[in-house]
Amino acid sequence: MKNKPAGLYIHVPFCLSKCAYCSFYSSSSLHLIDEFTKSIPREMAFYKNIFPSFDTIYIGGGTPSLLSVAQVHDILLAIHFNFQIHLQAEITMEVNPGDASQDYLQQLRALGINRINIGIQSFDDTLLKFLGRRHSARSALAAVEAARAAGFENLGMDFIYGVSGQTMDSWKQTLKTAVDLCAEHLSCYQLSLDKKTPLHQRYLTEGLSLLTEDQALDYFLTTSQVLTDAGYTHYEVSNFARTDSLKSRHNMKYWCHTPYLGLGPAAHTFLDHQRWWNKSSVEAYLKSIAGEMKPQEGFEKLSLEQLRLEAWFLGMRTKDGIDLAQFKTSYGCDLLTDKKPIIDELIRNRLVELTERHLHPTLAGMAVADSLALI
Amino acid sequence: MENIRNFSIIAHIDHGKSTLADRLIQFTGVCNERNFQDQMLDNMDIERERGITIKSNAISLPYRAKDGKDYILNLIDTPGHVDFSYEVSRSLASCEGVLLLIDAAQGVQAQTLANLYLAMEHNLEIIPIINKIDLPSADIDRVLEEMDSELGLDPDTHIKCSAKEGIGIEEILDAIIERIPPPAGDSSNPLAALIFDAHYDSFRGTIIHCRIFEGTVKNGDIIRFMHNNATYKVEEVGHFLLTRTKREKLSAGDVGYIIAGVKTVADVRTGDTITNHDRPCISPLPGFKEVKPVVFASIYPIASDDYQDLADSLEKYKLNDASFIYEKDSSAALGQGFRCGFLGLLHLDIVQERLEREYDLSIILSVPSVRYRFTLKDGKVIYVDNPTHYPDPAEIEKGEEPYIRAAMMLPERYLGTVMKLCMEKRGVNSNLSYTGPGRAELSYEMPLAEVIFDFYDRFKSVTQGYGSFDYDIIDYRESNLVLMDILVNGEKVDALSQIIHRDRARSRGLLACERLKDEIPRQMFKIAIQGAIGGEIIARSTISAFRKDVTAKCYGGDISRKRKLLEKQKAGKKRMKMIGSVSIPQSAFLAVLKSDND
């Protein structure tokens, strides 16, 4: 675990406006972006000795594409200055379709960004409006075209399904469009409503309903079927890659207990048995940095049992599942012995499968990963 | 002795017994406002919450009467459930009189009558009290008429009161002095004291609650329990004021406590007679009965790591509950545990609740059973109260189950439904008589197994609370018994097995399967629940699987949040027992017994 190369995450918490379904912290105080850009490198200095090198970098948000090319440049420069970055590193940036002009993308490419993740959500304008997105299906298509023209060969697209007003046909159409665009990577999330969000309020007042269990399963299986038929690998509950090498290497680190450093407001870091996270308000974050303080808000040291629980539930969300021998070495638990009756039952019910080294969820198992997590 | 009065308050539930006791305590000034709390005599949380009295309790109230003399009024509180009817009879045996409390709005009710009968059996002076006269719905004239026609009491003897408003309290106290006779007995006779309860004190050991009928007991005396001839040296005697108050001696007529180095309450039998070892009385006081458990069930810790905690807690609990017995037991499905005996299902409920509440244990109870008798082909006779020990059917010559005689008193209008209920419960040899206009006394002989499970609740429900019920065990009768097992996903759960009459097996099996289906939450895979006799499946139900649950994404910041949620859910699952691959909630084990008429 320790000698695996770590991942670096930069959180850009700014948004022009909040999407109706989003419950995460974001700030619309865009005038702070400049100070934020200058603070990130100062935060790096705190960690340059404990995280010497990275092989993935992920600039996420929020809306990172609110940063100017110069600001992205400064951040990347600071990264190279403070840390060793592998030559073949995966360097991703999230981009909003509305911000994705060919010129902007070309310059990002020139800075060394080699993977773009576009928050498309849907190719259906009615749904985009319902979700409170600022872009249209047309601008999403244009963004993809621009990214290709800018030379990006690794393109990820995010989608949401299970939205009120959506039909299975319209969802299949969206998937087909993504496949036709040769997306290297797709993330397909089932809509869930957080109580704090305006969309939740709207569902309540308009008497809208979420998917039933059967419908949700239907969408989940259809999504998997359509994309695997098109040659994609369904490698995590919500994630699909055109080939194994096109999986999101950065996100895989989260699911494999690989160390990662998170910089910026609200970002989480994991190292050995420790996890810590930054203050989530931009102002508080900037104040800490200005005062030469680490902007940390919380810290936890994970017990072996907690690590084991995390490794188990994360493993049950991924196609590769759990490497049994490694699990035993790392967490002191021989799953096949300690959990034999339940694992036998899960195998009998085809929710998990046993290969030579691995215990991994089947498609039906991934659909109930929250429950698998509880055994 | 002239200035002692021993009395009890009897009433239908909710007619205001605890409130009146509270007022008497306040009025006599034994307790100041600061120490006062409602339901003074119900010490346990569980009593206050359920509004029932489980243990007997006593308090001595010093009172200066109108005649200027000082009196000691001993109020003995009694439990109020059929499981504890023997304790009630011993408490009443310690009194000379009772306050019969009647709600001015509700009038005479089932337990009013049943309690009156009990008091009359003990030849007690009865003071009728009409309570809650402050209620707008109070109808005193009607209550007076009912007193005459239904209870056969002289309406002129009543006292009106409102315990809530404190009206009539002094009048009641004066009537206790004027109308209840002072205790008889002679302090110079050999000691004869009736034990009506005992409780455990972690500093002093067992505190014996008793009524002295003859003689005197004091510090240093050697006393003897007459049922087993055990002797003890008295360390302390005294009265129950708000707390125990030491006295030099207790003499004939007194109600109080004795501390004599008795280790556990199990060494003390309610109803036993205490005498002086050197100068014993000739015969014990009448009415002693050894109370035996009639319902048996096993208790297991949900987490097997908690076994030692459970063992320790049972040992402590037993110190204070003489009617509760237990011994080691083990189950293939549930691991190490204890087989326990109870007076009835309420008693079982109370033990379970107190273990969970006071000792913070998560436990599972197996399906309760009565004690069956089997004659084997080789002539051997064995008793079986644990379905796990059911003999090989090929070896059984004859099976028998315990029968009781149920005595019920109820308004005539409920006769039809009650008789139907009794027949449904395999009742035979009914006997019907009328105790007054519109009032019936009904008796049936019934298998105990039918009675303990849900009879009492259903009886109360079909008589809308107007019926009273009591029973005595009479004998064992031959019965066509079978062992019914429950299989969950093909795995036998021995704690759910029941010994049962063959004619009942199919319907009870179906009921158990349906109940379990309701109680066991859906899981990731289909669960089959089956009832079986030997290899034959007689009932089944299926719990379908749920097939989709995951929605949330899970990246860097989500992992801690997700783990904390899982930890919380896992803690919630601690009340579930994993049997094979299926999580069965604690509630499922008792639910199989609940009837479908609830």
Side-chain angles (χ1 to χ4, degrees):
Chain A
M1 211 162 50
K2 224 172 190 172
N3 41 22
K4 277 192 203 159
L8 173 63
Y9 178 74
I10 314 270
H11 190 67
V12 183
F14 300 97
C15 286
L16 277 177
S17 64
K18 209 171 177 99
C19 304
Y21 53 87
C22 176
S23 65
F24 292 101
Y25 171 78
S26 69
S27 165
S28 50
S29 310
L30 304 188
H31 63 281
L32 295 175
I33 294 183
D34 201 44
E35 194 188 340
F36 163 82
T37 312
K38 294 191 170 87
S39 298
I40 290 284
R42 293 174 68 179
E43 194 190 358
M44 289 176 196
F46 290 120
Y47 303 110
K48 60 195 242 181
N49 294 324
I50 49 174
F51 281 94
S53 73
F54 299 105
D55 72 343
T56 66
I57 299 169
Y58 197 106
I59 304 174
T63 314
S65 49
L66 288 174
L67 299 180
S68 67
V69 171
Q71 286 164 331
V72 178
H73 169 268
D74 289 351
I75 290 174
L76 287 171
L77 194 66
I79 292 173
H80 284 280
F81 177 78
N82 286 289
F83 307 103
Q84 190 86 38
I85 305 300
H86 287 225
L87 287 173
Q88 303 297 321
E90 173 195 274
I91 305 176
T92 308
M93 187 165 140
E94 287 179 348
V95 172
N96 233 24
D99 304 326
S101 71
Q102 191 173 328
D103 180 48
Y104 182 68
L105 293 172
Q106 245 161 4
Q107 296 190 60
L108 293 183
R109 186 74 194 86
L111 291 177
I113 309 255
N114 54 26
R115 186 171 180 272
I116 289 287
N117 204 70
I118 309 179
I120 292 174
Q121 315 312 346
S122 174
F123 285 115
D124 178 335
D125 280 335
T126 331
L127 292 183
L128 287 172
K129 210 168 156 210
F130 182 82
L131 292 169
R133 299 290 300 190
R134 303 165 59 91
H135 68 272
S136 64
R138 234 176 96 183
S139 62
L141 288 169
V144 173
E145 206 174 312
R148 293 297 187 207
F152 283 102
E153 291 172 348
N154 192 349
L155 213 55
M157 303 180 190
D158 286 357
F159 296 98
I160 294 182
Y161 66 82
V163 183
S164 179
Q166 186 182 36
T167 62
M168 185 63 92
D169 279 346
S170 105
W171 172 237
K172 280 187 183 163
Q173 193 52 52
T174 286
L175 288 175
K176 184 175 182 302
T177 309
V179 169
D180 289 347
L181 293 169
C182 290
E184 275 72 33
H185 190 275
L186 289 115
S187 300
C188 303
Y189 303 110
Q190 184 187 328
L191 176 69
S192 59
L193 289 181
D194 192 287
K195 286 210 171 63
K196 291 175 285 190
T197 60
L199 197 61
H200 177 253
Q201 201 48 48
R202 182 163 173 197
Y203 266 69
L204 279 185
T205 49
E206 293 179 22
L208 307 175
S209 48
L210 287 169
L211 297 181
T212 63
E213 185 186 322
D214 284 349
Q215 289 170 329
L217 182 70
D218 194 15
Y219 271 91
F220 180 79
L221 296 179
T222 303
T223 306
S224 186
Q225 187 71 52
V226 168
L227 294 179
T228 43
D229 283 354
Y232 288 84
T233 304
H234 188 176
Y235 73 101
E236 196 262 357
V237 170
S238 313
N239 286 285
F240 300 82
R242 216 175 64 197
T243 66
D244 273 357
S245 62
L246 290 169
K247 291 175 185 172
S248 167
R249 278 157 51 194
H250 183 80
N251 287 341
M252 290 292 282
K253 293 190 194 297
Y254 297 133
W255 304 323
C256 300
H257 266 169
T258 311
Y260 48 89
L261 171 65
L263 303 175
H268 282 61
T269 298
F270 178 75
L271 179 64
D272 297 333
H273 293 187
Q274 304 161 73
R275 187 177 283 120
W276 65 82
W277 50 96
N278 283 348
K279 293 176 175 165
S280 50
S281 114
V282 176
E283 289 80 1
Y285 170 85
L286 295 176
K287 206 177 148 195
S288 295
I289 298 288
E292 303 288 337
M293 306 260 288
K294 284 186 186 171
Q296 287 178 13
E297 180 181 80
F299 170 89
E300 64 184 6
K301 192 165 167 52
L302 298 165
S303 67
L304 194 62
E305 197 179 333
Q306 289 175 317
L307 283 168
R308 181 164 59 217
L309 175 61
E310 287 191 0
W312 168 258
F313 83 73
L314 292 169
M316 285 299 111
R317 293 175 69 100
T318 58
K319 182 170 187 274
D320 287 347
I322 285 167
D323 180 324
L324 291 164
Q326 197 202 313
F327 195 88
K328 192 174 171 183
T329 320
S330 301
Y331 310 110
C333 171
D334 186 339
L335 286 167
L336 294 189
T337 320
D338 298 356
K339 299 259 180 202
K340 184 170 176 34
I342 182 74
I343 285 177
D344 284 350
E345 185 70 33
L346 295 173
I347 292 173
R348 208 166 24 246
N349 286 277
R350 309 220 168 134
L351 293 167
V352 298
E353 274 171 355
L354 197 58
T355 55
E356 213 171 303
R357 289 178 54 112
H358 287 79
L359 183 70
H360 61 89
T362 61
L363 184 59
M366 270 196 212
V368 291
D370 282 353
S371 298
L372 284 177
L374 275 172
I375 70 154
Chain B
M1 222 159 20
E2 270 306 311
N3 53 7
I4 296 175
R5 298 293 183 274
N6 297 318
F7 72 103
S8 181
I9 308 174
I10 56 180
H12 188 80
I13 189 163
D14 285 339
H15 279 197
K17 194 170 89 160
S18 296
T19 315
L20 179 60
D22 288 350
R23 281 309 152 263
L24 297 176
I25 292 167
Q26 277 178 316
F27 194 88
T28 53
V30 66
C31 141
N32 58 31
E33 290 299 325
R34 194 166 50 84
N35 293 333
F36 184 80
Q37 57 172 330
D38 286 343
Q39 287 179 264
M40 288 289 302
L41 292 180
D42 292 338
N43 289 327
M44 286 182 269
D45 287 346
I46 194 171
E47 291 185 315
R48 283 167 201 235
E49 278 163 28
R50 295 193 178 202
I52 54 168
T53 304
I54 297 162
K55 284 191 73 76
S56 306
N57 223 323
I59 187 162
S60 299
L61 309 171
Y63 181 61
R64 177 163 295 171
K66 277 193 286 199
D67 58 14
K69 288 188 204 150
D70 287 324
Y71 289 87
I72 296 286
L73 311 180
N74 293 313
L75 165 57
I76 299 169
D77 196 21
T78 57
H81 188 277
V82 64
D83 281 6
F84 306 107
S85 55
Y86 177 67
E87 281 80 354
V88 179
S89 82
R90 292 309 84 200
S91 294
L92 291 180
S94 305
C95 299
E96 275 77 35
V98 294
L99 307 180
L100 176 66
L101 207 53
I102 307 169
D103 183 305
Q106 291 189 19
V108 170
Q109 302 278 319
Q111 282 169 289
T112 318
L113 193 74
N115 283 315
L116 174 68
Y117 275 93
L118 264 177
M120 285 160 92
E121 258 176 52
H122 290 92
N123 292 316
L124 303 182
E125 178 65 31
I126 290 149
I127 304 177
I129 312 255
I130 302 179
N131 190 24
K132 306 193 189 178
I133 55 165
D134 58 306
L135 288 182
S137 53
D139 184 352
I140 297 166
D141 290 340
R142 187 181 58 113
V143 177
L144 290 175
E145 197 192 297
E146 286 174 354
M147 267 177 62
D148 185 24
S149 63
E150 299 197 21
L151 304 181
L153 293 174
D154 180 356
D156 291 339
T157 59
H158 81 278
I159 298 172
K160 295 185 194 62
C161 102
S162 163
K164 195 170 142 241
E165 301 296 326
I167 301 166
I169 305 302
E170 191 170 5
E171 226 184 318
I172 292 171
L173 289 164
D174 290 335
I176 291 170
I177 289 163
E178 283 157 25
R179 286 156 61 179
I180 295 178
D186 188 337
S187 302
S188 58
N189 280 345
L191 175 67
L194 175 70
I195 301 174
F196 64 84
D197 200 6
H199 78 270
Y200 182 77
D201 178 290
S202 39
F203 297 104
R204 305 302 309 268
T206 303
I207 317 286
I208 302 161
H209 304 213
C210 63
R211 155 74 195 270
I212 316 291
F213 277 87
E214 301 286 346
T216 300
V217 60
K218 60 179 189 311
N219 201 345
D221 285 357
I222 304 294
I223 53 168
R224 175 146 58 92
F225 294 161
M226 292 188 76
H227 99 277
N228 64 357
N229 286 321
T231 57
Y232 298 92
K233 187 172 169 194
V234 176
E235 295 168 5
E236 184 181 318
V237 301
H239 279 171
F240 296 106
L241 294 174
L242 198 59
T243 52
R244 291 195 305 270
T245 308
K246 228 192 262 192
R247 294 277 301 251
E248 214 170 284
K249 59 178 183 182
L250 293 176
S251 301
D254 275 335
V255 170
Y257 67 90
I258 298 176
I259 299 173
V262 182
K263 282 218 183 66
T264 79
V265 294
D267 299 325
V268 177
R269 291 281 182 277
T270 298
D272 193 8
T273 302
I274 302 174
T275 192
N276 190 298
H277 181 62
D278 301 320
R279 191 172 161 241
C281 56
I282 298 163
S283 58
L285 296 161
F288 176 72
K289 201 164 84 175
E290 183 110 29
V291 182
K292 290 205 179 95
V294 294
V295 178
F296 302 85
S298 299
I299 296 182
Y300 305 95
I302 291 189
S304 45
D305 302 354
D306 290 344
Y307 175 77
Q308 196 49 48
D309 280 353
L310 175 61
D312 296 345
S313 303
L314 287 176
E315 200 179 321
K316 274 189 222 148
Y317 176 79
K318 168 78 190 156
L319 290 174
N320 219 351
D321 185 347
S323 334
F324 172 72
I325 58 163
Y326 71 98
E327 62 185 29
K328 278 188 185 167
D329 183 34
S330 74
S331 149
L334 294 164
Q336 293 292 105
F338 297 92
R339 191 73 185 169
C340 308
F342 309 90
L343 297 179
L345 277 198
L346 179 76
H347 187 208
L348 175 150
D349 254 10
I350 288 165
V351 173
Q352 176 187 16
E353 201 171 323
R354 290 188 60 191
L355 284 173
E356 298 208 319
R357 191 187 292 215
E358 292 166 31
Y359 300 96
D360 195 26
L361 288 167
S362 286
I363 54 172
I364 282 176
L365 267 114
S366 69
V367 174
S369 171
V370 300
R371 179 167 280 167
Y372 296 91
R373 183 161 74 188
F374 293 95
T375 306
L376 303 182
K377 293 242 161 80
D378 61 7
K380 228 165 85 185
V381 175
I382 57 167
Y383 286 87
V384 176
D385 63 45
N386 186 344
T388 315
H389 301 150
Y390 193 81
D392 178 355
E395 300 294 318
I396 299 174
E397 179 68 37
K398 183 171 76 167
E400 292 167 297
E401 62 178 321
Y403 266 66
I404 55 127
R405 180 174 294 109
M408 293 160 277
M409 280 198 258
L410 57 148
E412 191 184 12
R413 61 184 179 278
Y414 300 117
L415 265 180
T417 44
V418 170
M419 288 169 108
K420 196 168 147 243
L421 173 65
C422 291
M423 285 190 299
E424 186 198 315
K425 296 289 181 184
R426 295 191 279 139
V428 290
N429 294 338
S430 66
N431 199 333
L432 174 66
S433 60
Y434 287 86
T435 55
R439 293 238 149 223
E441 187 175 356
L442 179 64
S443 80
Y444 263 96
E445 292 167 14
M446 284 191 273
L448 175 63
E450 297 284 350
V451 171
I452 58 162
F453 292 144
D454 62 352
F455 180 82
Y456 188 55
D457 288 341
R458 285 183 61 195
F459 173 78
K460 287 223 293 203
S461 130
V462 300
T463 61
Q464 295 176 306
Y466 282 85
S468 71
F469 163 79
D470 196 5
Y471 68 84
D472 285 308
I473 294 186
I474 44 178
D475 53 14
Y476 272 87
R477 293 182 191 175
E478 188 160 353
S479 179
N480 189 2
L481 299 170
V482 291
L483 176 68
M484 180 178 72
D485 292 317
I486 299 287
L487 289 80
V488 176
N489 257 8
E491 191 142 345
K492 188 168 99 183
V493 184
D494 52 9
L496 291 172
S497 296
Q498 302 177 49
I499 300 171
I500 205 169
H501 192 274
R502 183 176 286 279
D503 295 350
R504 283 289 206 250
R506 189 173 299 273
S507 64
R508 285 280 273 278
L510 274 171
L511 186 66
C513 289
E514 285 307 311
R515 283 276 178 249
L516 288 168
K517 184 180 168 180
D518 294 342
E519 291 289 332
I520 299 175
R522 288 167 72 209
Q523 305 188 14
M524 291 167 281
F525 37 81
K526 199 168 78 179
I527 302 165
I529 301 169
Q530 296 164 310
I533 297 174
E536 188 201 350
I537 303 297
I538 55 160
R540 78 169 73 230
S541 66
T542 308
I543 302 171
S544 64
F546 64 75
R547 299 162 64 208
K548 178 78 168 78
D549 62 8
V550 53
T551 55
K553 36 175 111 171
C554 198
Y555 299 109
D558 306 316
I559 297 171
S560 280
R561 194 173 340 131
K562 176 95 186 152
R563 190 198 71 242
K564 283 170 191 159
L565 179 70
L566 286 173
E567 284 171 340
K568 222 159 127 187
Q569 288 172 322
K570 282 189 112 139
K573 270 183 85 166
K574 283 217 169 116
R575 291 182 80 79
M576 308 257 251
K577 185 76 190 180
M578 196 76 174
I579 294 187
S581 51
V582 181
S583 306
I584 304 183
Q586 190 187 29
S587 56
F589 289 84
L590 278 178
V592 290
L593 281 181
K594 297 270 157 66
S595 77
D596 45 3
N597 301 58
D598 289 353

